[in-house]
Amino acid sequence: MSLTRLVLSSGRSVDLAELRLSSTYGGMLEGYPCKPVNDMRIKGLVRAAERAFPGTPVHLVPPPREHPDQYAGAFGPVEILPSVACVGLFSSTALDPAHDPVSYRSGLAVVWFQPTPRVPSGCDAEPTLRELPWERLAQDHEL
């Protein structure tokens, strides 16, 4: 049973089987949000998704990056990502029509950022999440 179902822009329905939410800057003891910090955070989330879901392709939805007019420190200008980092495991019907629809599903792990800790659902998910090119990114697997 899935946590929720999303309808992608393509019309494909995908089920969210697992969702991990964390504060984008939780645990940041020193420094400030900037490109090097954000890039490390993003790479860490992608690696965590690869470890959590081995054998499943992982896709990063490029996050929006805000650049407020603040003092630039030693690591460059302030750059802020949305406050909630998300790692989700999605599944849908098989991509290959030759695969038995009862025995096969397609899957994709996705890393994205959003402003609130709400679970995406239906057609109300973040637009960038709904625009996933599922057929290009996901992979079939036998149940």
Side-chain angles (χ1 to χ4, degrees):
M1 180 170 221
S2 69
L3 295 170
T4 189
R5 177 168 285 169
L6 273 68
V7 179
L8 302 181
S9 299
S10 66
R12 177 182 279 273
S13 292
V14 296
D15 294 322
L16 179 59
E18 187 172 330
L19 177 62
R20 299 173 186 191
L21 303 175
S22 60
S23 170
T24 299
Y25 299 111
M28 188 169 150
L29 300 176
E30 289 187 35
Y32 60 95
C34 57
K35 182 171 177 29
V37 168
N38 292 338
D39 289 348
M40 282 191 305
R41 176 71 168 132
I42 290 167
K43 286 178 187 172
L45 287 167
V46 170
R47 281 194 308 270
E50 290 168 345
R51 285 190 308 271
F53 311 113
T56 301
V58 175
H59 174 69
L60 168 68
V61 174
R65 297 173 186 244
E66 291 183 29
H67 298 93
D69 188 20
Q70 295 180 2
Y71 173 74
F75 299 110
V78 172
E79 180 182 88
I80 300 173
L81 299 175
S83 60
V84 181
C86 308
V87 176
L89 179 63
F90 293 89
S91 68
S92 186
T93 56
L95 297 168
D96 186 342
H99 285 153
D100 176 10
V102 174
S103 300
Y104 283 84
R105 300 277 294 164
S106 57
L108 179 66
V110 181
V111 176
W112 77 98
F113 293 80
Q114 60 186 36
T116 64
R118 68 178 177 79
V119 175
S121 77
C123 295
D124 295 332
E126 294 291 316
T128 53
L129 191 58
R130 292 193 57 235
E131 293 167 7
L132 284 173
W134 188 266
E135 287 72 17
R136 184 171 54 84
L137 299 172
Q139 182 177 326
D140 282 352
H141 60 274
E142 190 171 15
L143 299 176

